């Protein structure tokens, strides 16, 4: 057999062309092309009308005024609420992930008694029995700082002649202790950063974790030309946008503030307070710049410079944070300067027998809680205060599994913010008394009920549901329900009585003296919202925003200046053990020159042992190594001045 | 390649002096664009369970973040040290490095508005565009996207879920652009002349300090038009001639200087007209 | 057992011994298959590649084997088009090596693209501006050409060739081989160039970006030159390795020396332009974008020693060794120069792949390290095992070396 060369080529070409002219190849290719895009395991989307429904989100400490974005009625995202002064369109990274947390498999599906699922009826029965059995020895720990739910829970206590209402340690509490405790004031302190021309953030990490973060950031954005100065032991995210960072150790913040008072007093400023002369004498003698420099390491000329700027401003404001003494010193400085510090009235109560906010803040949880029965509402003390809470029977109310729900005897699942009526009354730090309310956006997850309803009867209310309590609240404060549901905020313009306010001269003189622990280096615990707070662990999408300066793999990262690292004999990537308080933490070292020498900065909010994969086993729990010390002169307990020993492992 | 000129040119001006690095924009972006949270375990993949875990979000070299916030340092020691945060979306370059290299036309810059598209159903996942982009704005789906059980019911209608093995990037929330144009048509307005704010990206919307301003760089009625011409406005590595549509602004000189390389005398090399590709 | 299948007049090792050898290669190959399965089933996240290194060991491996496989097209060009008769003594081997290299590169690419089922979109939605489209076109087409060039050799197998149709078919292919060699040379030249062009066009990557001629950056031409400068010596090295393993003489040294001379001349031309290119890049382009030559290197992993090794030790040195007859004609030195040249071209491909994308262009960005993990190694080694298997089978059963009988069984008789 032989094939001619020409025939061979003809045959090859012919066959190729022939196949290409049939539709087979092209149809097949087209099919495959489509096929490569349709995999059954890729979720498909739901389409329909997209809406933004206003409500409140309670994942961050202050709460955010949000709009929940829905598609065909199903919530999918969270955005800010332009019409609400708490938001102005922005929200925090935690609340931005609200819907994902709502839909998380970490939600608690049903009430649990000692780890066993029970019915709601049974749960209510146990709750009533235990409440009856506990008598007056009942305590409440609330993780909510702003909601009317606290009125309900405190009314339960009042009915049982108990005053054991506790909040988790928070800036609001410290401020209240300074203002109503030491200085004889009433109402709540607020700071108008938006209209100030010079803002001294004396320890307040205002754009990340202090106060109404989002409202603060909005104020910063709107404040064209205002000068912001940050003082604190580390360059927080707030310090990255302020025009100046003054490195001040946490325990020295009160003394630093009084050091500024020195210059302000020298400039002739005064306040009509009964103890003004005593205050002046105390500062001029005990807190001279030289003495403050010796005690805190802050250079006198730096204080002079800050004081000069505050004095030359027409509307300055000092925003203190940290210890009670630091708050009192900050408030005193504000009173001297007469700038943008505000005193906010409290909204009228809706529940008879409810405590006032200031009364709720009096309990010192750091001193420990010991009660026959402890009711924990959306707080995580087992994680953040592992040694402080002792109870015969614990009831934990939360929407997701936490260390606290895992350890509780009775667990009552609560609805997510987007599934319930909830409200936000004057988050700490806002410049005016402001009330925001949210109605449910989504249907409750299957099996979920409003756990708050179980406390209506024990509080002596005959309401059917908590929604009625909110309605009563709205009525009591004189706001319009419809406007609130639309997302608008209600603002109360009123100034509480300021007569009788003192500068707390006698207490402050002693309380402002820096007291440091015995560890080798100072500890600057800091909060990054995307890492989480004491009550809220990080959310599903937030870990992508957590920097390697906080977490590498499953290891927490602590930061220090290169001089500190050298002193401790560690370098970038060294694994270290931090010991302080009654605990230990493991971490990797990162060198960050924005930390005061002699101080280690560690992120709060990691090291969860219960929860979803995004928080569980990630990093270590810095709350374990915080030292509780007594601010004797101020009559309070504090974590400020914590120190740690660092050992390389 | 010839640069295409557009009548409408969407762009951003990001005020570095306002960004606190809180991360809300990154979370908002992930939610808007259906970027799955990173999970170590894949409960649906038995083979995965036999070998090692997938990467979680702490491994920044494997995360998928259309918008990423960089932390800048002035490099000085205490107490002169300063930090700044710089959010980096896709620059939507006028002369993109990524578009001409794509072998399958899965990324194009030809739609009015100047947004560099990414056609993920066509992308073969060769990652050549990632190698081309000096901003690291392009991301590869290293693993199958997995939403923890129940979370997939709350997906955004804006962006289809991508399978693993394709490259994706910031699209300036392109579906919002389509929505804004539809709205304009319904209202009888010119979709090619949207008013300032009618179309805004998720990150710019959510930013609590309003550090991100978004708009049409060519439209004098949009804020970005002036902001981009501000005396402190700059773009990242401008000397390479990529002509990004994202501008930054900072009053801090060290921040601006970190926007480009100044180690040798820089000229205007690589101007679009004589570059190749 | 299988001796009837051996090429005419040759002797081979026992079947058992051969099976042992194939078993070893097969085991290595299966290890790679396991790695490949993980990649295809779990995703590319399984590898050491990441957001900074979208290209890594696999692309380096691909570029290196394609450069080393360049012996096929270049020798084919010289033999069939320029009619250098001497080269027919090694031409079969160049085709087999070319086939192994290209088929291997294709296999690796299947793993390397995230959506292998869409790999053919390069034809479906081609972007004519992309160098990679050119690469996809040329590599696939050239692989087909290589298969066409390989087929006659298979058909010449002693038993197969007894079938009249196959004999006729093989003959026809042979007659038309010059046509295929021509097509192959064209395709291969272009994609060797496009592979270089791939990096040269990266305007966002100052380490690789180059000016050029018309639409082709200088790297386009440099990659062609470096490939033709090393492909032929790689063939010589493989032939020599086969001689060491089999203990037979397969190619006469005269042919080897000719291949080395060809490679040496091309390598010299390449080095001349490479040095000019590097100098112009360092002193002209880099400063124009605010960068210096020193900026391009970092620490040990990305140190200047890499470029020095590539250009001087593995570039200029072997070029001189291969060009100077007195050195080239001493087998030991020829092989040494060949090894150096092959390392040099591989280093070049590595530097262009990894260092290009490692250099942080944004000043606040950082150098990141890239470590390929075992999956990338295993799959690459799988390709090498594949090459060994193909060559072993070919050697055992196909008439690869025309001079084998003469050199081993007739000389001296």
């Amino acid at each position: 057999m032989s094939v001619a060369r020409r025939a061979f080529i003809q045959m090859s070409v012919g066959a190729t062309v022939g196949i290409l002219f049939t539709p087979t190849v092209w149809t097949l290719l087209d099919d495959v092309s489509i096929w490569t895009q349709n995999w059954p395991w890729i979720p498909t989307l739901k389409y329909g009308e997209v809406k933004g429904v206003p409500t409140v989100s309670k994942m961050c400490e202050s709460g955010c005024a949000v709009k929940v974005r829905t598609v065909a009625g199903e919530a999918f995202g969270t955005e800010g609420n332009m019409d609400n002064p708490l938001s102005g369109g922005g929200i925090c990274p935690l609340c931005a992930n609200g819907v994902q947390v709502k839909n998380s498999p970490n939600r608690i599906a049903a009430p649990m008694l000692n780890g066993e699922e029970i019915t709601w009826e049974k749960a209510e029965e146990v709750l009533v029995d235990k409440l009856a059995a506990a008598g007056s020895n009942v305590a409440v720990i609330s993780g909510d700082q702003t909601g009317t739910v606290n009125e309900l829970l405190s009314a339960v206590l009042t009915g049982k002649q108990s005053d054991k209402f506790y909040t988790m340690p928070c800036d609001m509490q410290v401020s209240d202790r300074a203002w109503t405790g030491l200085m004889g004031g009433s109402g709540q302190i607020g700071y108008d950063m938006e209209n100030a021309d010079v803002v001294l953030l004396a320890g307040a990490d205002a754009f990340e974790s202090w106060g109404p973060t989002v409202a603060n950031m909005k104020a910063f954005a709107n404040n064209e030309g205002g000068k912001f100065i940050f003082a604190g032991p580390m360059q927080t995210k707030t310090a990255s946008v302020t025009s100046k960072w003054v490195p001040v150790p946490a325990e020295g913040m009160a003394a630093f503030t009084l050091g500024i008072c020195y210059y302000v007093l020298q400039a002739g400023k005064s306040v009509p307070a009964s103890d003004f002369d005593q205050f002046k004498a105390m500062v001029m003698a005990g807190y001279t710049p030289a003495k403050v420099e010796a005690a805190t390491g802050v250079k006198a000329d730096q204080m002079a410079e800050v004081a000069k700027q505050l004095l030359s401003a027409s509307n300055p404001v000092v925003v203190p944070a940290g210890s009670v003494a630091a708050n009192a010193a900050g408030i005193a400085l504000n009173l001297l300067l007469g700038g943008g510090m505000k005193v906010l009235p409290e909204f009228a109560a809706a529940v008879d027998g409810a405590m006032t906010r200031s009364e709720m803040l009096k309990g010192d949880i750091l001193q420990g809680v010991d009660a026959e029965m402890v009711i924990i509402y959306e707080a995580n003390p087992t994680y953040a205060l592992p040694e402080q809470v002792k109870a015969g029977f614990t009831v934990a109310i939360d929407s997701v599994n936490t260390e606290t729900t895992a350890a509780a005897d009775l667990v009552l699942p609560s609805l997510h913010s987007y599934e319930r009526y909830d409200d936000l009354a004057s988050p700490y730090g806002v410049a005016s008394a402001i009330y925001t309310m949210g109605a449910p956006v989504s249907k409750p997850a299957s099996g979920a009920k409003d756990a708050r309803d179980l406390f209506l009867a024990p509080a002596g209310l005959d309401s059917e549901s908590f929604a009625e309590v909110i309605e009563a609240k709205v009525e009591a404060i004189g706001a319009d329900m419809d406007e609130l549901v639309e997302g608008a905020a209600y603002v109360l313009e009123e100034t509480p009585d300021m007569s009788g306010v003192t500068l707390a001269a006698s207490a402050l003189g002693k309380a402002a003296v820096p007291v440091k622990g015995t560890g080798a280096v100072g500890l600057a615990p800091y909060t990054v919202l995307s890492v989480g707070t004491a009550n809220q662990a990080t959310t599903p999408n937030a870990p992508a925003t957590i920097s390697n300066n906080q977490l590498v793999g499953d290891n927490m990262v602590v930061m220090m200046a290169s001089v500190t690292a050298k002193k401790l004999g560690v370098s970038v990537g060294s694994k270290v053990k931090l010991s302080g308080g009654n605990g230990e933490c493991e971490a990797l070292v990162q060198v960050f020159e924005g930390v005061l020498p002699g101080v280690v900065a560690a992120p709060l909010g990691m090291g969860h042992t219960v929860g979803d994969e995004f928080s569980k086993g990630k990093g270590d729990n810095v709350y374990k190594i915080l030292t509780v010390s007594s601010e004797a002169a101020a009559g309070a307990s504090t974590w400020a001045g914590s120190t740690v020993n660092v050992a390389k492992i | 390649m010839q640069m295409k000129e557009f009548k409408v040119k969407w762009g951003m001006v990001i005020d570095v002096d306002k960004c606190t690095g809180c991360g809300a924009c990154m979370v908002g972006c992930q939610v808007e664009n259906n970027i799955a949270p990173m999970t170590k375990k894949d409960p649906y993949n038995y083979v995965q369970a036999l070998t090692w875990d997938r990467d979680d979000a702490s491994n920044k070299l494997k995360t998928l973040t259309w918008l990423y916030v960089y932390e800048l340092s002035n490099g000085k020691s205490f107490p002169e040290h300063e930090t700044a945060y710089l959010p980096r979306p896709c620059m939507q370059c006028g002369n993109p490095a990524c578009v001409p290299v794509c072998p399958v036309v899965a990324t194009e810059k030809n739609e009015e508005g100047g947004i560099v598209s990414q056609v993920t159903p066509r992308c073969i996942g060769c990652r050549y565009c990632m190698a081309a982009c000096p901003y690291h704005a392009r991301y590869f789906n290293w693993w199958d996207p997995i939403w923890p059980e129940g979370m997939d019911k709350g997906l955004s209608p804006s962006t289809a879920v991508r399978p693993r093995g394709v490259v994706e990037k910031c699209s300036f929330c392109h579906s919002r652009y389509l929505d804004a144009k539809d709205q304009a048509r319904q209202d009888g307005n010119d979709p090619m002349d949207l008013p300032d704010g009618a179309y805004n990206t998720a990150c710019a919307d959510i930013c609590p300090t309003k550090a991100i301003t978004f708009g049409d760089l060519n439209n004098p009625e949009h804020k970005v038009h002036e902001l981009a011409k501000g005396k402190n406005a700059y773009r990242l590595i401008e000397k390479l001639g990529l002509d990004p549509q994202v501008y930054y602004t900072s009053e801090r000189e060290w921040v601006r200087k970190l926007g480009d390389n100044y180690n040798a005398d820089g000229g205007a090399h690589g101007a679009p007209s004589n570059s190749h590709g | 057992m299988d001796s009837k299948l051996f090429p005419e007049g040759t002797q081979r090792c026992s079947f058992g011994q051969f099976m042992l050898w194939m078993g070893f290669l097969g085991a290595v190959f299966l290890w790679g298959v396991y790695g490949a399965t993980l990649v295809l089933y779990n995703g590319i996240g399984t590898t050491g590649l990441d957001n900074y290194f979208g290209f890594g060991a696999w692309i380096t491996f691909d570029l290196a084997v394609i450069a080393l496989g360049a012996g096929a097209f270049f020798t084919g060009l010289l033999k069939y088009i320029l009619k250098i008769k001497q080269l027919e003594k090694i031409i079969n081997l160049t085709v087999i090596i070319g086939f192994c290299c290209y088929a291997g590169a294709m296999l690796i690419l299947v793993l390397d693209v995230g959506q292998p089922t869409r790999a053919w979109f390069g034809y479906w939605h081609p972007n004519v501006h992309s160098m990679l489209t050119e690469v996809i076109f040329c590599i696939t087409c050239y692989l087909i050409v290589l298969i066409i060039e390989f087929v006659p050799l298979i058909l010449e197998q002693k038993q197969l060739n007894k079938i009249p149709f196959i004999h006729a078919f093989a003959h026809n292919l042979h007659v038309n081989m010059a046509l295929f060699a021509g097509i192959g040379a064209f395709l291969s030249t272009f994609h060797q160039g496009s592979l270089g062009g791939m990096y040269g066009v990266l305007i966002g990557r100052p380490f690789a970006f180059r000016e050029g001629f018309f639409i082709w950056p200088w790297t386009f031409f440099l990659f062609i030159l470096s490939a033709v400068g090393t492909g032929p010596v790689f063939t010589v090295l493989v032939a020599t390795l086969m001689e060491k393993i089999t203990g037979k003489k397969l190619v006469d040294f005269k042919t080897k020396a000719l291949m080395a001379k060809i490679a040496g001349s091309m390598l010299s031309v390449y080095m001349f332009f490479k040095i000019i290119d590097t100098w112009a890049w360092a002193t002209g382009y880099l400063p124009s974008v605010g960068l210096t030559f020193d900026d391009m290197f970092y620490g040990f992993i990305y140190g200047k020693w890499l470029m020095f090794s590539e250009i001087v030790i593995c570039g200029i040195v072997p070029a001189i060794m291969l060009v100077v007859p007195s050195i080239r004609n001493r087998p030991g030195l020829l092989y040494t120069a060949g090894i150096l040249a092959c390392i040099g071209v591989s280093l070049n491909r590595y530097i262009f792949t990894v260092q290009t994308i490692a250099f942080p262009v944004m000043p606040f960005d950082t150098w990141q390290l890239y470590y390929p993990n075992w999956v990338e190694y295993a799959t690459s080694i799988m390709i090498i095992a594949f090459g060994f298997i193909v060559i072993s089978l070919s050697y055992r059963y196909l008439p690869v070396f025309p001079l084998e009988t003469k050199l081993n069984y007739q000389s001296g008789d």
Side-chain angles (χ1 to χ4, degrees), chain B:
Chain B
M1 285 246 292
Q2 275 297 305
M3 278 227 286
K4 198 160 172 174
E5 277 305 322
F6 298 100
K7 186 177 147 277
V8 177
K9 202 159 95 177
W10 297 109
M12 277 180 187
V13 181
I14 300 176
D15 189 343
V16 183
D17 297 344
K18 286 226 175 95
C19 177
T20 66
C22 75
C25 53
M26 286 174 69
V27 175
C29 170
Q30 291 176 70
V31 170
E32 172 81 9
N33 294 299
N34 289 331
I35 295 171
M38 293 185 70
T39 54
K40 274 190 177 176
K41 304 281 180 208
D42 180 346
Y44 310 107
N45 184 345
Y46 191 55
V47 174
Q48 187 73 55
L50 287 176
T51 63
W52 57 92
D53 283 345
R54 298 150 33 113
D55 301 281
D56 67 20
S58 151
N59 183 356
K60 301 302 168 194
L61 291 174
K62 289 258 174 106
T63 49
L64 203 164
T65 45
W66 289 9
L67 179 64
Y68 186 72
V69 180
Y70 282 87
E71 183 177 318
L72 312 188
S73 160
N74 69 347
K76 295 192 175 159
S77 293
F78 178 89
E80 270 90 44
H81 186 257
E82 283 186 43
T83 55
Y85 291 90
L86 182 138
R88 190 249 37 227
C90 170
M91 300 286 140
Q92 318 292 355
C93 299
N95 179 35
C98 54
V99 168
V101 303
C102 177
V104 294
V105 210
T107 176
E108 284 185 286
K109 191 185 176 81
N110 60 8
E111 190 197 56
E112 191 54 64
I115 296 171
V116 176
S117 68
Q118 179 69 20
V119 191
T120 49
R122 191 184 288 170
C123 173
I124 62 172
C126 72
R127 302 185 293 285
Y128 188 14
C129 54
M130 288 171 71
C133 176
Y135 301 106
H136 297 295
R138 293 180 156 274
Y139 288 86
F140 186 71
N141 284 272
W142 297 106
W143 303 104
D144 280 303
I146 289 171
W147 278 266
E149 200 189 336
M151 272 171 57
D152 55 347
K153 75 175 177 190
L155 290 181
S156 157
S158 313
T159 320
V161 177
R162 287 77 58 195
R164 77 149 192 251
V166 299
V167 173
E168 57 186 61
K169 69 166 193 75
C170 160
S171 64
F172 274 179
C173 293
H174 189 259
S175 71
R176 290 179 174 224
Y177 183 31
L178 300 179
D179 291 345
K181 284 194 288 187
D182 280 348
Q183 192 61 49
R185 284 187 201 100
Q186 277 172 30
D187 301 346
N189 298 325
D190 180 6
M192 282 298 116
D193 188 21
L194 295 172
D196 204 2
Y199 162 35
N200 204 6
T201 60
C203 53
D205 256 353
I206 213 169
C207 176
T209 56
K210 297 291 160 239
I212 304 175
T213 312
F214 181 80
D216 177 4
L217 293 164
N218 284 347
N219 189 335
E221 284 165 20
H222 285 211
K223 283 198 287 290
V224 288
H225 181 79
E226 280 311 307
L227 289 173
K229 293 178 184 161
K231 73 173 167 43
N232 291 324
Y234 66 101
R235 293 182 290 175
L236 296 182
I237 42 175
E238 238 179 320
K239 287 177 193 169
L240 296 182
L242 299 171
D243 191 24
Q245 277 168 221
V246 174
Y247 289 75
Y248 291 86
T249 171
S250 175
E251 288 181 5
R252 290 172 278 186
E253 199 198 346
W254 71 266
V255 172
R256 292 198 302 274
K257 280 209 83 172
L258 277 178
D260 212 332
N261 292 295
Y262 295 95
N263 300 344
D265 302 330
H269 181 91
S273 56
N274 59 17
S275 63
H276 303 276

Side-chain angles (χ1 to χ4, degrees), chain C residues 137-410:
Chain C
F137 278 19
C138 295
I139 291 194
T140 45
C141 292
Y142 184 52
L143 181 62
I144 294 168
V145 169
L146 278 169
I147 292 169
I148 294 172
E149 289 184 345
F150 195 1
V151 164
L153 186 63
I154 297 170
L155 300 182
E156 277 168 21
Q157 205 278 330
K158 200 164 67 184
Q159 300 299 336
L160 280 178
N161 214 23
K162 287 178 181 161
I163 304 165
F165 172 76
I166 288 182
H167 179 80
F169 187 65
H171 176 74
N172 263 297
L173 283 174
H174 251 305
V175 174
N176 293 299
M177 206 41 79
L179 173 69
F180 294 119
I183 296 172
F186 173 80
L187 290 172
S188 196
T189 311
F190 260 88
H191 83 249
Q192 294 287 359
S194 337
L195 285 172
M198 265 178 70
Y199 295 116
V201 298
L202 297 179
I203 47 175
R205 297 293 186 178
F207 189 89
F209 180 72
R210 295 291 191 279
E211 297 286 324
F213 169 72
F214 192 41
I215 60 164
W216 299 292
W218 296 128
T219 49
F220 183 95
F221 306 100
L222 291 172
F223 268 50
I224 300 176
L225 285 173
S226 56
V228 299
T230 48
V233 278
F234 182 68
T235 313
V236 169
L237 290 175
V238 171
T240 309
L241 179 67
M242 289 174 75
E243 287 176 342
K244 297 275 178 242
I245 292 173
T246 61
K248 298 203 179 73
K249 290 223 33 101
L250 302 172
V251 179
D252 58 333
F253 188 75
K254 198 174 146 206
T255 309
K256 287 183 181 175
L258 174 63
M259 292 285 275
K261 183 178 164 189
I262 294 165
S265 329
M266 300 315 294
L267 202 56
S268 306
V269 177
Y270 165 61
M271 284 325 298
F272 176 73
F273 286 113
K274 172 73 186 171
I275 289 163
I276 292 179
D277 170 73
T278 306
W279 181 78
W281 165 75
T283 59
Y285 172 71
L286 285 180
S288 77
V289 291
L291 291 166
T292 64
F293 182 67
D294 288 347
D295 290 340
M296 296 292 124
F297 304 91
Y298 176 80
F300 177 75
I301 297 288
Y302 299 117
K304 283 182 190 151
W305 66 272
L306 272 173
M307 193 174 261
F308 177 80
S309 310
E310 177 209 334
I311 296 180
V312 179
I313 301 172
C314 301
I316 296 172
V317 171
I320 292 169
M321 287 171 79
L322 293 174
V323 167
V324 177
S326 57
I327 304 177
R328 179 176 70 225
N329 288 330
R330 294 167 66 178
L333 291 175
L334 186 151
Y335 302 146
T336 308
I339 290 168
L340 285 177
C342 291
I343 292 173
V345 77
S346 304
L347 257 182
N348 172 266
R349 300 312 194 244
Y350 166 79
I351 292 169
F352 262 100
T353 305
V354 174
Q355 192 131 357
T356 292
I357 50 182
F359 168 68
V361 192
M362 294 186 289
F364 51 84
D365 201 0
T366 47
W367 287 87
Q368 297 289 344
L369 295 182
Y370 163 65
Y371 308 97
N373 69 9
W374 74 263
V375 173
E376 289 159 276
Y377 287 123
T379 45
S380 302
I381 291 167
M382 168 181 82
I383 299 307
I384 295 170
F386 162 77
F388 268 87
I389 291 171
V390 171
I391 292 174
S392 301
L393 286 169
S394 304
Y395 166 73
R396 191 170 175 87
Y397 300 118
L398 305 178
V400 177
F401 297 102
L403 289 186
E404 189 189 345
T405 37
K406 188 176 150 217
L407 289 174
N408 295 291
Y409 314 114
Q410 292 165 14

Side-chain angles (χ1 to χ4, degrees), chain A residues 385-425:
Chain A
L385 303 160
E387 293 172 6
Q388 274 84 353
V389 183
K390 290 181 182 64
F393 189 83
T394 312
V395 182
I397 304 153
D398 212 325
S399 58
V400 292
N401 289 297
T402 66
E403 286 82 353
T404 299
T405 63
D409 298 295
L410 177 66
V411 178
L412 300 175
S414 65
L415 299 176
H416 183 269
S417 290
Y418 299 167
E419 298 167 339
R420 70 188 187 199
Y421 281 93
D422 211 337
D423 57 358
L424 278 173

